[in-house]
Amino acid sequence: MRDRHPDSPVAEFGLYFHVPLCQAKCEYCDFVSWPVEALGPGKRGRIVRALEREIDLAVARHKVLRGRPLDTIYFGGGTPSLLQPAEVERLVRRALKVFEPRGFERSSWDDPSERGSDAQAADARTAGDSARTVEITLECNPTSARGPRIEEYARAGVNRISLGVQSFDAGVLRALGRTHSPDEARHAIHSIHAGGFPTWGLDLIFGAPGSSVESWGRDLDEAVAHGPPHISVYGLTLHKGTRLHERHARGEIDLPDEETQREMFLAARRRLCDAGWHHYEISNYARPGHHSRHNSLYWNGGEYLGIGVGAHSHLAGRRYANPEGLDEYLEATEGARHPGVEEPAPSLRSRRAERIMLALRQCDGADPHRLSRDLGCDFVSEYARETGRLSESGLLSVSTHNLRLTEEGLLLSDTVFEEFF
Ligand code: SF4
């Protein structure tokens, strides 16, 4: 099985920073993150220093990273907007120095001393340059993405904001355990507009406790009214070990039933597509040219380096995982040891299934010839039984040049993907 698209001289490559800090733990969250106050003094600074140090440790460990063309940088979490703009700038600067930003004209970005007397003009210029080449996304929480701070992120090189709104309904936000109010989300959106980012997006969650098709319709209407170039729409998942899961198990909360959730998914698809967004991935909608390049890189089988506690990497056909324990992660990086552990290689069948799954998540579908090249087999004959069954059940649309999930297939995507494993 091939891990690089044969048409790419060097596969697309993205850098992911995992920032494990949050203001409070949301009721539904199973991400590797901790409330910043609960970590105790000193941890925050150690985490930021470890992120910077790990870039160098990774490059020293993986030869394939040396001078590697870089396409995207993504700050995820956690709540990356709890990083100061200066901290984000330091990490961006380090990444752009260590890797070769694809198509990026090196200029005053390289060395602050070359920025001249008008540092602000130089910053604006470098941010503009990177916007044309490397996509640099920062996930933001409405409470920490406001006013001058958001403009400072733009000067730090960030050219794409992903705002975790989740809902504009105060009751739904409370049920999810979010720390922000609808008005704080609105202020953050105003600040993002004023910040002049070339692109940005917001996230919404459907299926939350206390939500209904009507309240979800209002969320969609308000999201459309704010006009973000990108909208992510996720169905709430109950993860074991979260407070929401426990409360649900104790019968303390009611969730919308399956039929209602189905209606909510379809309402989003109708509302957003009618208003001009393209449904390009199961959970993502974008205006033309505003898809997430970083996430598309995952779906297209590109390579990535994950930096931070619990982060994952995919390099030269191998997969690595950083420990999820914060102390273990910090001890490794502070001891100048790269924390990543190579994961056991999955079976060929599983690797192929994963590639097929990622390709089919994209609503425009997959080219069977490209799949054959990526999988190293004749996809059409190898998977004739699976695609035949799915096509007969109305979940997959199959033609000579394209293979894509039908609307029913989008709703039952897990069932579709299981066929290939
Ligand atoms: S802000 Fe995001 S990462 Fe942090 S607890 Fe909430 S859902 Fe989890």
Side-chain angles (χ1 to χ4, degrees), residues 365-377:
D367 174 358
H369 305 294
R370 161 120 193 230
L371 275 178
S372 294
R373 280 189 316 220
D374 288 354
L375 304 181
C377 66

Side-chain angles (χ1 to χ4, degrees), residues 21-33 77-79 141 166 177-178:
L21 308 166
C22 289
Q23 274 167 337
K25 195 76 182 169
C26 300
E27 295 278 305
Y28 58 96
C29 177
D30 76 335
F31 297 139
V32 179
S33 70
T79 306
N141 188 312
Q166 317 313 353
R178 302 289 301 187

